[in-house]
Amino acid sequence: MLTAGLRRAIGADDPQLRPGPVPGSYTSSLPFRLDPGDPRTAAEGLAARLREQLWIAKAEVTGPGFVTVTVTHATLARLAIRIAHAGPACAESDALAGRTVDPARSAPVESWPQARAALAAELTVRLATAAGAVIDPERAQVPAPPPPSRGPVAEAVAYAGPDAVRFALARMPPGGRAPEAAVIARHVLANPAYAVRYAHAAAAAVLRWAAALGTRPAGFTPRLLAEPGELALLDALSWLPERVAVAARRGRPDEFAGYLAELAARTIDTMSTSSFRKIPDISSERLWLADAARTGLAAGLGLLGIDAPPRL
């Protein structure tokens, strides 16, 4: 997707990207690694090369040696179609191509720290393979850790359900506080374990209601996706493959789960606007965006091993 294309244009496995000042803008600190003594000169050369790309509206040196890239509005808007067409592959990239990872090893998972460590190992492999790494064939038959049969984790699964517990564990940082079953079981948007699945269902509902009225995504005019919330959602979606790769590279699946929570918040905000609630008048472009949000969230949840229900 978009950030994967930007990574290839920059020509680095890790372009060290962070969000820019506006939707569709991306800031790279790569020049500081290329030339620590004179990052501005390295940044100027990189920016000049990026300006040759027709899909990049602007590439400029910012601060002491950053490069900030802004893609064209059409490029950002067309991400809605690209993600919808890509399906689960929208989260994939070749950022870790050529790397080999070991599969997760079986481990006891009776306590929260044990469960968190076992799941983090499993998810790091899942994310790494989505980013182009391959599993060591000599270790590929190592079984996945068994589900907990006793202890606080098993009790939480029985109370809140496996998906809620799995997301809470995925979002738990190293040394983080153990989730509370009563909290992660709540069906409120303040609970990320619920909000991400709710956001997927909300986007799916827009498409389902439109289909019931005989309306489906058809033509696409980029300029018709220009509302601030729509651009913010497109921007969040553009980071999907990059967030997968960074989380795998750092061995921090909790960072990816946190990103999904942010993407869910953008999706819920956008699907709640009148432009998406007035289904009889909804435009084809907005249906494509709803489809992209649904697809991106489903891909992300799938990487975490969590179901993406079309209804909640």
Side-chain angles (χ1 to χ4, degrees), residues 253-277:
D254 57 292
E255 295 180 351
F256 180 68
Y259 158 74
L260 282 185
E262 296 173 5
L263 176 58
R266 295 290 188 189
T267 300
I268 293 167
D269 287 347
T270 303
M271 297 302 113
S272 300
T273 62
S274 60
S275 298
F276 285 81
R277 302 295 290 182

Side-chain angles (χ1 to χ4, degrees), residues 78-159:
R78 287 196 181 99
L79 194 61
I81 286 185
R82 293 178 63 194
I83 290 175
H85 282 321
C90 68
E92 298 175 1
S93 71
D94 58 357
L96 300 185
R99 299 196 185 191
T100 302
V101 294
D102 290 337
R105 297 177 178 274
S106 297
V109 291
E110 294 180 4
S111 71
W112 284 111
Q114 290 171 337
R116 186 265 163 200
L119 184 60
E122 175 196 335
L123 294 183
T124 296
V125 172
R126 281 174 172 260
L127 296 171
T129 53
V134 296
I135 295 177
D136 186 338
E138 296 183 359
R139 302 175 183 268
Q141 301 305 314
V142 175
S149 58
R150 62 182 180 179
V153 181
E155 293 172 1
V157 170
Y159 183 83

Side-chain angles (χ1 to χ4, degrees), residues 283-303:
S283 68
S284 180
E285 290 75 18
R286 290 188 171 111
L287 288 177
W288 280 114
L289 181 55
D291 200 2
R294 178 192 62 81
T295 302
L297 287 165
L301 285 168
L303 287 173

Side-chain angles (χ1 to χ4, degrees), residues 155-179:
E155 293 172 1
V157 170
Y159 183 83
D163 283 343
V165 172
R166 191 175 178 89
F167 188 89
L169 279 170
R171 197 165 178 263
M172 184 178 171
R177 182 178 178 180

Side-chain angles (χ1 to χ4, degrees), residues 212-263:
L213 295 176
T215 305
R216 299 182 184 275
F220 189 86
T221 304
R223 63 179 175 79
L224 296 182
L225 283 182
E227 294 296 325
E230 296 165 356
L231 296 177
L233 176 54
L234 285 163
D235 183 77
L237 285 165
S238 76
W239 284 96
L240 179 55
E242 186 67 13
R243 294 299 185 224
V244 169
V246 170
R249 191 180 287 117
R250 287 168 50 83
R252 293 290 303 274
D254 57 292
E255 295 180 351
F256 180 68
Y259 158 74
L260 282 185
E262 296 173 5
L263 176 58

